[in-house]
């Protein structure tokens, strides 16, 4: 399942982020704001349960999010740019990290860091990476989450290429993808076009 978050504020903020004249500090601030709005969409249908509370006017069975606290998993390093804003909207979330690099010889993703919350099999796990480009690292990260026991996974990104969506769909058809935009294509270097450039470099001011 693919959900494109076409909310006007998301689209407006994304357009400013795409502009190459937008400086690092503003890019980071916009990413924080946009990630709050994306968090709102990716959690829209979480199951609720009625909990007995007392309002100042009397008793009420009030809807609250059911089940174990969800896990946000950042795919390093750019995924970290989405974390802070999401945690503002979902403060009790547990947080994990997956770090992968591409072996220059085999071109296969190799894990260099993995730190995940416990009981992943009982949580909704939301994996975050701003760019779903070739899909290679995102698919490999989801492989790791499944190996660690995760059963209920969603993937959240800011921008996606059609190639990445197809790759994710064929490797992990059970993982719904949420994005603010599906761009036209990948270029020969695996960058999304028109995209926004290198998300990590733009948010951390590197290069
Ligand atoms: N990663 C990025 O940061 N940008 C792209 O366009 C593709 C992958």
């Amino acid at each position: 399942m693919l959900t494109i978050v076409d909310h006007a504020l998301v689209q407006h903020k994304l357009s400013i982020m795409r502009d190459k004249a937008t400086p690092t500090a503003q890019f980071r601030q916009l990413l924080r704001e946009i990630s709050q709005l994306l968090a709102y969409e990716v959690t829209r249908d979480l199951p609720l349960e009625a909990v007995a509370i007392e309002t100042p006017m009397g008793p009420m069975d009030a809807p609250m999010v059911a089940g174990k606290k969800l896990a946000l998993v950042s795919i390093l390093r750019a995924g970290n740019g989405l974390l802070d804003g999401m945690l503002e909207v979902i403060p009790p979330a547990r947080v994990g990290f997956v770090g992968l690099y591409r072996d220059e010889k085999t071109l296969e993703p190799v894990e260099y860091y993995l730190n995940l919350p416990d009981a992943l099999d009982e949580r909704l796990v939301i994996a975050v990476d701003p760019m779903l480009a070739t899909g290679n690292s995102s698919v490999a990260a989801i492989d790791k989450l499944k190996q660690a026991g995760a059963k209920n996974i969603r993937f959240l990104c800011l921008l996606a290429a059609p190639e990445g969506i197809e790759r994710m769909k064929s490797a992990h058809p059970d993982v719904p993808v949420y994005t603010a935009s599906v761009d036209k294509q990948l270029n020969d270097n695996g960058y999304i076009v028109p995209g926004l450039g290198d998300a990590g470099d733009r948010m951390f001011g590197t290069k």
Side-chain angles (χ1 to χ4, degrees), residues 48-67:
L48 298 170
E49 65 185 353
V51 177
I53 61 162
E54 292 272 339
T55 81
M57 309 307 292
M60 174 192 180
D61 287 332
M64 291 196 185
V65 173

Side-chain angles (χ1 to χ4, degrees), residues 3 5 7 37-48 65 70 90 124 126 154 178:
T3 301
V5 183
H7 191 291
L37 299 167
L38 294 174
Y40 178 81
E41 286 298 330
V42 75
T43 54
R44 173 184 285 278
D45 61 347
L46 292 191
L48 298 170
V65 173
L70 64 78
I90 321 164
L124 168 64
I126 304 176
R154 299 180 181 188
Y178 294 76

Side-chain angles (χ1 to χ4, degrees), residues 78 129 131-134 159 186 190-193 195-201:
D129 188 343
M131 311 300 267
L132 179 58
T134 61
L159 287 185
L186 291 179
Y191 277 80
I192 298 176
V193 180
L196 49 71
D198 188 295
D201 283 343

Side-chain angles (χ1 to χ4, degrees), residues 72-135:
L72 300 177
V73 176
S74 166
I75 301 172
L76 298 173
R77 73 179 163 157
N80 283 12
L82 289 170
L83 267 185
D84 289 348
M86 293 189 73
L87 282 170
E88 275 167 30
V89 182
I90 321 164
R94 301 309 190 228
V95 179
F97 299 90
V98 180
L100 302 160
Y101 70 88
R102 194 164 72 140
D103 185 290
E104 291 305 327
K105 285 203 189 93
T106 64
L107 302 182
E108 290 297 317
V110 181
E111 173 191 316
Y112 67 85
Y113 189 72
L114 187 70
N115 191 332
L116 298 172
D118 67 359
L120 271 197
D121 57 327
E122 296 172 44
R123 304 179 191 276
L124 168 64
V125 179
I126 304 176
V128 301
D129 188 343
M131 311 300 267
L132 179 58
T134 61

